[in-house]
Amino acid sequence: MMTGIESILLGFFQGDNKITPESKYKDKVDQAKSVLLNSEKIKYLIGYPQGSDPAFYVLCETEELMEYTKDWLNCALPRFCCKYARPCKEAEYSFESVLFSQWPHGFLKVAIWTQQHTPFDKDEYQKFVPYAIKEMQSALEEMVSRFNHSPVIKQDSGKSIGMLINGFINAYKEHDLDLMDSYYREIMSRDELERRNKDTLKFMFMEKERKWSAIVQFAHERNVISQVISSGVVTAIMNALVYSSCEDEEALTCFEIDWPALYYGAQEFCPLLTKTPAFDSESEWRLWAILAHVLNIEGFADKVAGNVDQVWLSQLLEQDTSVNAQKIDLVEALDVSKLSYEEQTVSEVLNYAQACHESELMSLYEWLEATPIHIKLSLKGQAPMRRLWQQVELNVASCL
């Protein structure tokens, strides 16, 4: 009869991550077994999925500890070897599913840079991978050792900032204003969170309070159109603009909207609203469709199609706003995978990254980090470009 550990090993080292007893990598299974057998609260496995690059799977006893560990890792790991540690709540590969049986709250995944994000050719990259694994493993083990000798989390400590934010977002989704207020007050009393992230929570809170004029005023104060913007801020501003121009949700169905008032209110947020969106809910897509229609953003219907009810969309397109005859172009998200590394191109990406959607930021940062060193040094030698690069790094750090 298999033990729990044997079951985990059998499930983890199969499929895309299969290692057989005859494999030259069979010692990896033995190493993983010794890690799982220890009594430490932070453990890790190394996966070698076929068709992808090696990754560390960091397994923490609790979700709270996972939040702390993510921050520690992102400070400790050698950035030239790997991407940032990211929490995983669902499996990307089938072999990862077995981990949720023991760690239902998820795990942290730290992947080595792919070859395209390094300056190495194929042969050099093959030498880089074992070196990167060694450096990452050394940093990880040192972090675990420090925690074991002097754990900073006490049993009576308050919740981590990550846990508080998760609680706030869940309360937001459940429309529980009282619980949101409780989490919001505790989060605002902490020093761990960057101002931009606190601003996002404030926008979300005001949205649920339906403080439309306050949202617009706060957006002016923070000059949101000139910085990296989160979906929470975009949604709050869209709600404020639309519901300041109509009575209620029913008005959005029958289009009883003060179109001129909506147009004049939305004009100043045009740079934000013309960026290609990626919303999660139909209600958010509907708000953007209404704003895109009144602003006459070209091609918006193609982006919305499939995300909203088609009858509703057809009726929206029939609405004569009689306000703006000039079409406005939709700004497509920047696909850096099609770009080559030249100084001018890197400069353009740096500028684009200053006011992009937060969901785009990590892929832009990873592309920038892979810039050939001579271009990177040249740009960082220029004060304006150096400030742009530093701002991207600060924005990435505040998103983790």
Side-chain angles (χ1 to χ4, degrees), residues 95-328:
F95 69 84
E96 296 173 349
S97 300
V98 71
L99 299 178
F100 292 100
S101 62
Q102 184 72 25
W103 298 274
H105 50 272
F107 52 83
L108 299 172
K109 189 173 181 179
V110 189
I112 289 175
W113 288 114
T114 59
Q115 185 184 342
Q116 70 183 56
H117 285 105
T118 69
F120 305 129
D121 60 28
K122 185 176 180 180
D123 291 338
E124 290 172 331
Y125 184 73
Q126 288 179 342
K127 296 177 182 177
F128 166 75
V129 169
Y131 168 79
I133 291 175
K134 181 180 178 182
E135 291 294 308
M136 292 165 65
Q137 191 166 6
S138 175
L140 178 55
E141 289 185 347
E142 182 178 352
M143 186 215 74
V144 172
S145 176
R146 287 183 176 182
F147 169 76
N148 290 337
H149 285 89
S150 180
V152 297
I153 303 176
K154 308 298 183 184
Q155 290 299 315
D156 59 348
S157 69
K159 290 184 178 179
S160 71
I161 195 69
M163 296 287 285
L164 292 172
I165 292 172
N166 287 338
F168 177 89
I169 292 173
N170 288 334
Y172 170 87
K173 292 177 179 177
E174 296 295 326
H175 311 287
D176 189 334
L177 193 58
D178 290 337
L179 189 56
M180 282 181 70
D181 182 54
S182 175
Y183 280 116
Y184 180 77
R185 290 176 183 275
E186 186 166 357
I187 291 169
M188 292 301 146
S189 69
R190 302 286 192 92
D191 297 325
E192 300 103 304
L193 209 59
E194 296 287 336
R195 191 190 77 172
R196 187 171 65 84
N197 289 331
K198 287 186 175 181
D199 286 351
T200 295
L201 301 183
K202 184 173 181 178
F203 274 110
M204 295 169 71
F205 191 43
M206 288 192 295
E207 177 207 325
K208 291 303 181 186
E209 292 182 304
R210 301 181 72 84
K211 293 183 175 179
W212 308 136
S213 59
I215 289 174
V216 173
Q217 182 180 347
F218 193 50
H220 291 157
E221 292 174 5
R222 291 295 193 245
N223 193 20
V224 295
I225 62 174
S226 65
Q227 58 183 279
V228 172
I229 191 163
S230 69
S231 60
V233 176
V234 175
T235 299
I237 291 173
M238 291 195 306
N239 273 282
L241 294 173
V242 173
Y243 286 112
S244 294
S245 306
C246 68
E247 290 293 328
D248 50 31
E249 291 184 19
E250 184 64 29
L252 304 187
T253 302
C254 56
F255 303 107
E256 293 180 355
I257 299 170
D258 184 344
W259 293 107
L262 180 59
Y263 172 71
Y264 291 117
Q267 264 188 312
E268 62 182 310
F269 293 103
C270 200
L272 183 155
L273 297 169
T274 52
K275 294 175 182 176
T276 303
F279 300 119
D280 294 324
S281 68
E282 182 175 354
S283 61
E284 292 170 333
W285 279 106
R286 286 194 179 207
L287 291 172
W288 183 74
I290 289 170
L291 288 161
H293 181 59
V294 77
L295 289 171
N296 206 4
I297 297 176
E298 190 166 14
F300 85 89
D302 293 333
K303 296 294 181 183
V304 173
N307 294 296
V308 300
D309 178 77
Q310 294 304 299
V311 173
W312 180 88
L313 178 58
S314 298
Q315 292 173 345
L316 171 65
L317 295 175
E318 292 171 0
Q319 302 299 311
D320 180 11
T321 63
S322 300
V323 177
N324 185 20
Q326 183 178 358
K327 288 189 177 295
I328 299 174

Side-chain angles (χ1 to χ4, degrees), residues 117 341 345-347 349-350 353 363-372 376 389 392:
H117 285 105
Y341 285 104
T345 306
V346 176
S347 299
V349 174
L350 278 170
S363 62
L364 295 173
Y365 173 71
E366 291 178 352
W367 186 88
L368 287 167
E369 279 297 286
T371 301
K376 190 180 290 187
W389 209 301
V392 172

